[in-house]
């Protein structure tokens, strides 16, 4: 947050903010003096730097002779002169190894050469202490946001050649008409605008360039469908950290009931552990008690939690490298499922087991949903809720009646984004064969709204989802999130053991 002592840097327009206190010339002379020198030893290479180099090489081989431009994205204003916490675009993080809070307004460029591509990271290095930026720039100044890396330090961390961002535009303009440029347009509007202006100036057809950029965006998304060993280790860690947060929530459930507005309490407890164990939450936590569990994306989390409720907790920790878990457990607040709650829970658990059995190489991604939702439809039919038979309901052309009580899909890819690889084409996502190294969720549910008069009264207001993260192996799948129990008896015993500590 900018303070009342801020003044614009030499490069900013001459606008006087209403909270600015000017710096005197004696202060300008005094402020650079008497500081310890920066460390001479270079930082260690980031753990993700090695895998990122291999990813850059594979990406470059897919686009020989073309300049590839991947921005990190810029800071986003939250209100007035305060910004949101920065998170780089996932493709930038994947290709550089830079994670939490790094590196706003940076751009990775893969420049074609006779032997392949050379990678350069353009970013804003720290300014010398004699520069007004040091004390007056609230976005980049060292006194405001901490010590930034030098060019040499960033190079040591990433294994990349580094250059000041001020040199980026000249570098990308060089030989532009002869070298094809692929740009990740969605990452940074400012960079996109500058490159579009350069393209216009060199006579490049805008429609063709836009189409090439769209292909590049798809390629970057599809390249992340199969995770490497580093990514799998990070996702395992994210799941382990998430389990710590879930245990903390269970331990504090009595306090959530006592204080009122318990959904907020649960969200806060999990958020505390997400920040302590990792970088942050990977997405807005869903802490849905009672009938709120039947709102699929309930993130208001402003309700009470009452004894006898079910609490649907859908949450994940994002680790420092930005990989996130995505786990859901539906917990009996009292520690014991009622008969009606257990009935619904066991149906969802059976559907999840069927989905996991289908999560294996050679099956299609959509087969996981088909297996899980068949079990859902069979239970709904057995309970007399379907107005048609199971097969008719499962027919996508004439049925879908079961979707009244489970409208969402059973799976999505998981990685740097909670809904990872979202720009992949349907033939390489929903219709594609599962391959070893793919990480997906398996998360069926049943949702009986309190206002649903087609549902027996004992089931109204019950919402259950069970979600785990699995990696496809050579002969099936491995559950990455197996730290947390799923069986209803095991859930009850686990909660009791936490409360007895």
């Amino acid at each position: 947050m900018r303070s009342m002592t801020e003044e614009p840097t030499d490069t900013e327009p001459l606008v006087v903010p209403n909270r600015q206190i000017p710096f005197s010339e004696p202060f300008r002379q005094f402020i650079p003096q008497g500081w310890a020198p920066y460390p001479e030893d270079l930082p260690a290479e980031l753990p993700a730097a090695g895998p990122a180099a291999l990813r850059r090489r594979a990406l470059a081989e897919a686009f020989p002779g073309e300049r590839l431009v991947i921005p990190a994205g810029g800071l986003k204003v939250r209100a007035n002169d305060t910004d949101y916490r920065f998170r780089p675009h996932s493709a930038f993080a994947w290709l550089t190894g830079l994670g939490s809070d790094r590196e706003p307004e940076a751009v990775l460029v893969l420049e074609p050469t006779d032997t392949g591509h050379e990678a350069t990271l353009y970013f804003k290095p720290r300014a010398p202490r004699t520069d007004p930026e040091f004390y007056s720039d609230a976005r980049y100044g060292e006194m405001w946001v901490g010590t930034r890396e030098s060019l040499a330090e960033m190079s040591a961390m990433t294994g990349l050649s580094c250059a000041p961002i001020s040199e980026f535009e000249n570098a990308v303009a060089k030989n532009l008409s002869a070298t094809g440029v692929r740009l990740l347009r969605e990452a940074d509007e400012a960079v996109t605008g500058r490159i579009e202006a350069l393209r216009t100036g060199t006579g490049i057809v805008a429609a063709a360039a836009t189409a090439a950029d769209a292909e590049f965006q798809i390629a970057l998304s599809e390249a992340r469908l199969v995770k490497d060993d580093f990514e799998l280790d990070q996702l395992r860690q994210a799941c382990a950290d998430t389990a710590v947060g879930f245990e903390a929530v269970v331990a504090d459930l009595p306090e959530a009931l006592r204080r009122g507005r318990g959904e907020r309490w649960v969200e806060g407890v999990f958020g505390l552990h997400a920040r302590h164990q990792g970088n942050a939450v990977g997405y807005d936590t869903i802490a849905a008690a009672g009938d709120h569990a039947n709102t699929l994306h309930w993130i208001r989390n402003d309700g009470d939690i009452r004894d006898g409720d079910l609490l649907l907790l859908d949450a994940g920790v994002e680790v420092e490298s930005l990989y996130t878990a995505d786990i859901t457990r539906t917990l009996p607040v009292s520690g014991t499922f009622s008969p009606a709650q257990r009935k619904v829970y066991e149906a969802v658990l059976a559907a999840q087991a069927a989905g996991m059995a289908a999560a294996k190489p050679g099956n299609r991604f959509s087969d996981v949903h088909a297996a899980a939702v068949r079990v859902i439809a069979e239970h709904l039919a057995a309970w007399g809720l379907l107005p048609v038979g199971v097969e008719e309901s499962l027919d996508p052309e004439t049925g879908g009646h079961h979707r009244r009580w489970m409208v969402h899909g059973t799976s999505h890819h998981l990685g740097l984004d909670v809904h990872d690889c979202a720009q992949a084409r349907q033939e390489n996502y929903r219709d594609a064969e599962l391959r070893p190294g793919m990480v997906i969720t398996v998360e069926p549910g049943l949702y009986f709204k309190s206002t649903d008069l087609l549902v027996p009264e004992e089931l109204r207001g019950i919402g259950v989802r069970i979600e785990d993260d699995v990696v496809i192996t050579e002969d099936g799948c491995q559950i990455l999130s197996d730290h947390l129990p799923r069986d209803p008896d095991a859930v009850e015993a686990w909660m009791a053991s936490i409360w007895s500590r």
Side-chain angles (χ1 to χ4, degrees):
M1 182 181 298
R2 289 184 174 97
S3 85
M4 295 180 69
T5 60
E6 178 191 359
E7 69 175 19
T9 66
D10 292 345
T11 58
E12 290 179 343
L14 187 58
V15 176
V16 181
N18 59 11
R19 295 192 301 145
Q20 176 189 314
I21 299 176
F23 292 104
S24 68
E25 185 57 32
F27 175 85
R28 293 171 182 267
Q29 298 299 319
F30 170 72
I31 191 65
Q33 301 175 23
W35 300 100
Y38 294 111
E40 295 183 0
D41 294 338
L42 294 176
E45 187 174 83
L46 294 169
L54 298 177
R55 299 166 195 158
R56 292 194 298 271
R57 185 182 308 165
L59 180 68
E61 289 173 353
F63 296 96
E66 296 186 81
R67 182 179 293 146
L68 309 178
V69 180
I70 304 97
L75 290 161
K76 293 180 173 61
V77 174
R78 176 171 179 169
N80 299 321
D81 55 359
T82 61
D83 297 318
Y84 284 103
R85 185 183 299 274
F86 180 71
R87 186 191 191 279
H89 192 282
S90 294
F92 177 89
W94 188 68
L95 291 166
T96 63
L98 292 167
S100 172
D101 297 326
R102 293 191 174 104
E103 180 65 38
E105 298 185 1
V107 184
L108 174 67
V109 177
L110 303 185
E111 184 70 23
T113 67
D114 293 338
T115 58
H117 283 73
E118 290 182 356
T120 300
L121 177 64
Y122 295 89
F123 80 106
K124 187 175 179 62
R126 67 169 174 261
R129 289 165 176 150
T130 53
D131 192 304
E133 175 184 293
F134 171 69
Y135 56 85
S136 68
D137 190 325
R139 274 194 163 179
Y140 295 104
E142 185 174 329
M143 295 195 76
W144 298 87
V145 298
T147 306
R148 298 173 56 78
E149 284 76 28
S150 67
L151 294 172
E153 288 167 346
M154 183 62 77
S155 183
M157 289 167 55
T158 62
L160 287 159
S161 297
C162 293
I165 190 63
S166 58
E167 297 178 6
F168 164 69
E169 191 159 340
N170 286 339
V172 81
K174 181 181 177 182
N175 203 25
L176 186 63
S177 59
T179 303
V181 175
R182 303 262 185 171
L183 167 66
L184 183 59
R185 300 174 65 88
E186 68 172 4
D188 192 315
E189 291 182 2
V191 173
T192 296
R194 286 150 65 189
I195 289 182
E196 285 182 339
L198 289 170
R199 283 168 166 169
T200 300
T202 53
I204 295 174
V205 178
T210 300
D213 292 344
E215 291 175 358
F216 186 49
Q217 181 185 37
I218 291 169
L220 284 167
S221 198
E222 293 182 348
R224 307 205 319 264
L225 284 165
V226 175
K227 272 52 182 179
D228 58 35
D229 289 342
F230 173 83
E231 293 178 288
L232 293 177
D233 286 344
Q234 295 300 293
L235 287 165
R236 289 188 180 96
Q237 185 63 54
C239 288
D241 292 343
T242 300
V244 173
F246 271 71
E247 289 193 4
V249 165
V250 172
D252 230 32
L253 270 180
E255 197 70 4
L257 270 71
R258 184 181 73 83
R259 288 180 175 267
R261 239 181 164 201
E263 292 177 345
R264 287 283 167 92
W265 191 266
V266 165
E267 178 187 349
V269 169
F270 186 84
L272 164 66
H273 286 79
R275 284 291 286 166
H276 188 250
Q277 295 288 130
N279 177 50
V281 293
Y283 52 95
D284 284 338
T285 296
I286 297 171
D291 195 40
H292 289 165
N294 297 308
T295 300
L296 299 180
H297 290 166
W298 178 260
I299 58 173
R300 284 167 53 184
N301 300 339
D302 60 357
D304 291 332
I305 298 177
R306 299 177 177 85
D307 194 31
D309 279 349
L310 290 177
L311 171 67
L312 190 157
L313 178 59
D314 186 335
V317 171
E318 175 188 85
V319 295
E320 296 290 342
S321 59
L322 305 184
Y323 290 85
T324 185
D326 181 8
I327 302 172
T328 306
R329 289 293 182 267
T330 306
L331 308 170
V333 172
S334 67
T336 304
F337 291 99
S338 72
Q341 291 169 348
R342 181 177 282 261
K343 175 181 177 178
V344 178
Y345 188 97
E346 288 179 339
V348 174
L349 186 62
Q352 191 194 40
M356 287 184 176
K360 59 185 180 180
N363 276 1
R364 293 180 302 168
F365 174 87
S366 57
D367 290 338
V368 178
H369 176 72
V373 81
R374 173 173 288 277
V375 175
I376 292 293
E378 288 170 349
H379 279 81
L380 292 170
W383 298 340
L385 297 181
L386 284 184
V388 297
V390 170
E391 298 305 325
E392 185 176 349
S393 184
L394 293 173
D395 188 323
E397 299 297 327
T398 62
H401 300 76
H402 59 277
R403 297 189 67 186
R404 179 183 177 113
W405 299 288
M406 181 182 155
V407 69
H408 62 80
T410 303
S411 298
H412 55 78
H413 281 265
L414 182 70
L416 282 166
D417 296 329
V418 66
H419 291 168
D420 210 25
C421 312
Q423 304 304 319
R425 292 164 291 183
Q426 180 167 318
E427 60 266 30
N428 291 326
Y429 197 122
R430 176 175 171 76
D431 296 338
E433 286 191 359
L434 295 170
R435 290 178 282 161
M438 289 181 168
V439 176
I440 64 173
T441 63
V442 184
E443 51 175 310
L446 275 170
Y447 311 94
F448 298 121
K449 288 183 174 292
S450 61
T451 54
D452 190 341
L453 301 183
L454 297 186
V455 174
E457 188 172 354
E458 66 169 3
L459 300 184
R460 294 176 197 167
I462 294 177
V464 174
R465 180 164 64 252
I466 309 170
E467 178 181 19
D468 283 279
D469 308 334
V470 306
V471 56
I472 306 302
T473 62
E474 296 294 336
D475 57 359
C477 70
Q478 177 190 11
I479 303 173
L480 302 178
S481 51
D482 59 354
H483 315 78
L484 297 168
R486 292 183 303 281
D487 176 83
D489 292 335
V491 169
E492 292 176 350
W494 171 65
M495 296 179 71
S497 70
I498 293 173
W499 289 336
S500 66
R501 292 174 188 169

